Amino acid sequence: MNTIATDNDLQGGRLGELAHKVNRLGFNLLVFTPERDCVLQSQAAVLSDSERTAAVIAGMDWQGQAASVWADDGLLACPVFSGGQLILIVAIEAPSETPRSESEKQCLAWLVEDWAGRFGETSRTSRQFEKMSIELSKAYEEIMLLYQLSTHMKVTQTNSSYLQMACDQLTQLVHVQGIAIYVEKKLDGHRHLALTAGSGVISIEQNQIDVLQMYLGEELHKGAQALLDSAVDGPFKYPWPAAIRNIIAVPLGESDRMRGLLVATNISDKPDFDSVDVKLFNSVANQCMVFIENNRLFDDLKELFIGSLKALTSSIDAKDQYTR
């Protein structure tokens, strides 16, 4: 038996089991991809011709039909569907010199169709399990990210160093061209969003950040949790620099009183940012906002304590002068 197999032996030997049954009946088994590439060739006593068989099934159009077809008196072809998609084509070759009865051919067709149905269902279940495993793995990584952010909150740490750590941790989960955190600061008596932390290349100039904040405010006013914009499913909603393919922005603080924003551009491992990214970015932004607020409260408490010490010192000095 000559065997050529891929995809973890095509579901742990299921094709080998079918090949054994088919070969015992004196038939050859060939398996093709939807592109008509032969991935398994199991031969009985008579050598099979994969090129001839591929040429025969190349002209077949299954149109979603799972039933097998006798292409001629010595070739049975059966499609294998999983989740509505054609994943394999099983071909059974009978030696031309050996006549086959209609009942024998019908039994063989039933055998292959039953196997194809079970194989397709197993393949679908396997893909669902793999997808679930990937999602659980990603969820675990996201939980660990939030845990890292919560356990690294130290009052001795500056805002910029903590926010930089948040950016670095986030880029390990979400592969983007650039990510940045802008925090509100008072400059020349006016409040502006200033770049505080970032990673990679963010294709937005400093003078465009106020406009980005306005766009984000419009999205939040509409009930959205973030600003998502790209040209994947249509034109951009807002004008962006030419280097931006897609963008996500979430607020730091409440929508009616933004203290800053977290923005990332040009995700690379999928077509666009999605709802999962929105939840993750909002969670990170909330953690950052908690740290910023805690630092502010600590600074206020420190100023109050220093003020109390100064007042107590002044009172002691005044008392000493009075007693003299």
Side-chain angles (χ1 to χ4, degrees), residues 121-253:
E121 182 63 24
T122 303
S123 177
R124 184 182 67 84
T125 304
S126 177
R127 285 200 302 271
Q128 288 179 340
F129 181 78
E130 182 180 0
K131 181 180 179 181
M132 184 182 300
S133 299
I134 294 173
E135 290 176 352
L136 287 175
S137 176
K138 186 173 182 180
Y140 173 77
E141 291 175 345
E142 292 173 359
I143 292 172
M144 289 303 299
L145 166 62
L146 298 178
Y147 173 77
Q148 290 286 341
L149 292 179
S150 62
T151 55
H152 282 76
M153 289 186 180
K154 300 176 182 178
V155 293
T156 57
Q157 194 173 12
T158 63
N159 283 349
S160 58
S161 62
Y162 181 84
L163 297 181
Q164 185 60 53
M165 181 196 68
C167 287
D168 294 339
Q169 293 284 340
L170 189 54
T171 52
Q172 295 181 19
L173 289 182
V174 185
H175 303 289
V176 295
Q177 185 181 49
I179 186 169
I181 296 179
Y182 295 85
V183 178
E184 188 179 66
K185 294 182 179 179
K186 184 178 289 187
L187 299 172
D188 300 328
H190 300 282
R191 292 188 176 275
H192 298 282
L193 291 179
L195 178 63
T196 308
S199 179
V201 179
I202 195 81
S203 302
I204 300 178
E205 300 295 335
Q206 179 63 43
N207 57 8
Q208 298 174 309
I209 296 303
D210 291 336
V211 177
L212 172 59
Q213 184 183 26
M214 181 183 67
Y215 293 158
L216 176 57
E218 291 179 7
E219 294 297 312
L220 298 177
H221 183 71
K222 295 175 184 177
Q225 294 181 319
L227 183 152
L228 289 177
D229 203 4
S230 75
V232 173
D233 298 322
F236 282 113
K237 291 185 290 185
Y238 302 102
W240 304 107
I244 292 181
R245 301 188 306 273
N246 44 55
I247 185 172
I248 182 173
V250 298
L252 269 65

Side-chain angles (χ1 to χ4, degrees), residues 15 37 58 82 90 114 121 198 201 217 250 254-255 268 314 321:
L15 275 174
D37 295 325
S82 177
V90 177
D114 177 68
E121 182 63 24
V201 179
V250 298
E254 300 297 329
S255 58
S268 59
S314 299
Q321 290 179 0

